Amino acid sequence: MVFPKRERGWAVALFDSGSSIGGAIAPLLVIGLYKYFGGWRPAFIVTGTLGFLWLIAWRLLYHPPETHPRISEQERQMILAEQARAAVPGGSEKVRARPGVSC
């Protein structure tokens, strides 16, 4: 996904919170499925099916900025300009590590 520079903090917060919520819900879901069906196989099949349903939804709903139907032309041009600026060597800000800190 592509986010304008000024909205990247919000996007990262959403993605990080989503993975944390998923990590909190998954054990409860799997244990509940295990208890309900009496074995690990149905719990495995249900969670795997949920993963495939998410994959299908993502493939159907995701559009790159060049072809996205719900963004304005102005926003599209802004995103593409930021991508082009970042692709040019020296076009984006570089963050340097402090001395003694390896990345």
Side-chain angles (χ1 to χ4, degrees):
M1 296 191 89
V2 179
F3 294 95
K5 196 171 189 175
R6 66 179 185 270
E7 297 175 7
R8 287 186 190 146
W10 176 245
V12 169
L14 282 175
F15 285 120
D16 285 348
S17 64
S19 63
S20 297
I21 291 169
I25 292 173
L28 301 173
L29 175 67
V30 171
I31 291 170
L33 291 170
Y34 180 82
K35 288 183 81 174
Y36 182 78
F37 289 110
W40 66 270
R41 287 179 178 90
F44 181 82
I45 291 170
V46 169
T47 55
T49 302
L50 288 173
F52 278 113
L53 290 174
W54 180 251
L55 173 67
I56 291 167
W58 180 262
R59 297 288 296 162
L60 291 173
L61 298 173
Y62 175 77
H63 301 281
E66 295 84 6
T67 61
H68 201 288
R70 291 179 300 226
I71 63 173
S72 67
E73 190 58 34
Q74 180 184 8
E75 187 176 11
R76 184 182 333 275
Q77 293 305 321
M78 180 184 66
I79 291 170
L80 294 176
E82 285 184 10
Q83 285 180 341
R85 226 181 352 262
V88 174
S92 63
E93 297 177 22
K94 302 230 185 299
V95 178
R96 300 189 72 143
R98 292 184 292 178
V101 177
S102 62
C103 294

